[in-house]
């Protein structure tokens, strides 16, 4: 079975005390809940990564960084390197978020360098991609997806691809309250998986977790996660309130068979 992952991207929200409170609420919930293998990740801002990592160590919550520098080290004021992130204990980083592309002008060349730096420092990557409203209106969403994906994935080898998750986040759905329909998400996720299969091979493509992001809420999560190629979610707004985050997790759990049902395999090794 492919990994199932729910990520809360806090963006530039929460001060230290608010971060402590939210983490404590999530831990209180996950401690007693059978998550059926669903991975729960949070991405707080840089100053709280070390605290977040330490306070979630040996729990069911994992911590992710929101970005890294493409540079390894040196005179780059304000930048945070992959090595610095890794030394906090954090093992995963988001790269290519549409807000980095839009507000910081990040493009294929830089994002490729960031991915190289992450992989060289043993960080798993959640690579974000997605079309703007104008691109969707022009029916160019598949063309955009292909370019955003292939520009950065083409140079990778199969082993490196195992360290990558893809998050499809249509820009028009981020923070707008407008969500892609389950059909739109599935259609794009299937396309992304096919691109990965064409570039690498079907087995590699079958293993890559594909997450959906864009106004994901407890109310729309069940339908989205029921799609065969939607393996998880990357949420912003809903991740800032424990009850909403938990609502999305609960919706996802309804789609994961319980261990008893999973045990119905007729012979060992069949999946
Ligand atoms: P919203 O869930 O607030 O739309 O944000 C999505 C997102 O950008 C997650 O990275």
């Amino acid at each position: 079975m492919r990994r199932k992952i729910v990520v809360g991207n806090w963006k530039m929200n929460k001060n230290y005390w608010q971060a402590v409170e939210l983490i404590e609420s999530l831990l209180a919930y996950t401690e007693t809940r059978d998550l059926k293998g669903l991975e729960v990740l949070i991405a707080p801002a840089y100053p709280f990564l070390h605290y977040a990592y330490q306070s979630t160590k040996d729990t069911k919550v994992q911590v992710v960084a929101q970005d890294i520098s493409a540079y390894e080290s040196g005179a780059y004021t304000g930048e945070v390197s992959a090595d610095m992130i890794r030394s906090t204990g954090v093992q995963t980083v988001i790269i290519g978020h549409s807000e980095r592309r839009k507000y910081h002008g990040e493009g294929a060349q830089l994002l490729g360098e960031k991915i190289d730096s992450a992989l060289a420092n043993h960080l798993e990557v959640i690579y974000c991609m997605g079309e703007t409203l104008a691109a969707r209106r022009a029916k160019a969403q598949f063309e955009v997806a292909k370019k955003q994906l292939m520009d950065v994935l083409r140079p990778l080898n199969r082993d490196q691809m195992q360290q990558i998750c893809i998050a499809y986040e249509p820009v028009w759905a981020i923070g707008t309250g407008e969500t892609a329909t389950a059909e739109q998400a599935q259609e794009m996720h299937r396309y992304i998986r096919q691109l990965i299969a064409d570039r690498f091979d079907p087995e590699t493509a079958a293993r890559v977790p594909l997450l959906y992001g864009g106004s994901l809420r407890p109310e729309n999560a069940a339908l989205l996660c029921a799609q065969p190629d939607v393996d998880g979610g990357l949420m912003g707004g809903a991740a800032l309130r424990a009850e909403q985050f938990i609502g999305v997790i609960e919706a996802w759990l309804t789609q994961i068979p319980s261990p008893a049902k999973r045990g119905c395999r007729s012979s060992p090794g069949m999946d």
Side-chain angles (χ1 to χ4, degrees):
M1 221 170 68
R2 249 194 311 274
R3 292 167 65 197
K4 303 282 177 203
I5 305 169
V6 172
V7 191
N9 175 10
W10 294 5
K11 308 190 179 183
M12 200 174 74
N13 293 293
K14 305 286 176 193
N15 64 22
Y16 173 70
W17 301 110
Q18 293 163 338
V20 171
E21 194 182 341
L22 183 50
I23 289 172
E24 283 177 359
S25 303
L26 289 174
L27 289 179
Y29 161 75
T30 53
E31 204 177 328
T32 53
R33 185 74 171 101
D34 174 10
L35 295 176
K36 300 195 256 182
L38 177 71
E39 297 175 37
V40 174
L41 280 58
I42 54 170
Y46 286 143
F48 316 131
L49 281 182
H50 184 60
Y51 159 76
Y53 175 78
Q54 289 297 330
S55 61
T56 57
K57 217 157 74 176
D58 305 321
T59 73
K60 296 176 201 159
V61 176
Q62 299 167 58
V63 177
V64 179
Q66 295 180 19
D67 189 34
I68 49 165
S69 173
Y71 300 110
E72 288 299 314
S73 65
Y76 302 104
T77 302
E79 292 278 89
V80 175
S81 73
D83 174 53
M84 290 171 182
I85 298 292
R86 195 66 191 80
S87 70
T88 66
V90 168
Q91 296 174 26
T92 309
V93 61
I94 297 171
I95 292 179
H97 194 281
S98 65
E99 287 146 16
R100 299 296 315 173
R101 295 177 193 260
K102 179 174 173 190
Y103 300 124
H104 303 273
E106 298 192 358
Q109 170 73 25
L110 182 72
L111 296 175
E113 288 168 13
K114 288 187 177 198
I115 289 179
D116 288 346
S117 179
L119 296 177
N121 286 279
H122 310 288
L123 286 168
E124 186 180 33
V125 172
I126 298 173
Y127 176 66
C128 300
M129 47 166 292
E131 79 283 1
T132 59
L133 183 59
R136 179 148 290 256
R137 284 200 174 132
K139 300 197 188 330
Q141 66 268 29
F142 295 112
E143 199 182 309
V144 170
K146 187 172 187 178
K147 181 154 178 43
Q148 288 185 345
L149 206 62
M150 285 307 134
D151 278 352
V152 301
L153 298 190
R154 195 171 282 118
L156 303 184
N157 62 37
R158 278 190 185 82
D159 287 345
Q160 290 172 320
M161 195 58 213
Q162 313 259 2
Q163 301 304 310
I164 312 266
C165 299
I166 308 288
Y168 169 56
E169 297 204 309
V171 177
W172 47 271
I174 297 179
T176 59
E178 192 164 338
T179 322
T181 63
E183 292 72 28
Q184 286 171 327
Q186 168 56 23
E187 185 183 37
M188 182 58 85
H189 283 221
R190 191 179 44 219
Y191 178 69
I192 292 169
R193 206 178 297 287
Q194 189 56 51
L195 288 175
I196 298 170
D198 293 345
R199 163 62 188 85
F200 297 94
D201 55 71
E203 294 73 34
T204 303
R207 272 198 297 267
V208 178
L210 303 183
L211 318 183
Y212 168 81
S215 296
L216 189 61
R217 299 280 179 273
E219 307 81 61
N220 56 32
L223 207 54
L224 283 157
C225 64
Q227 305 309 307
D229 286 298
V230 179
D231 307 308
L234 176 55
M235 63 190 130
L240 299 176
R241 289 173 46 202
E243 65 280 10
Q244 292 244 319
F245 197 160
I246 290 167
V248 171
I249 295 172
E250 285 294 322
W252 229 273
L253 289 176
T254 62
Q255 299 301 318
I256 302 180
S258 65
K261 283 189 194 148
R262 277 207 296 261
C264 287
R265 296 187 301 191
S266 54
S267 63
M270 269 180 63
D271 241 332

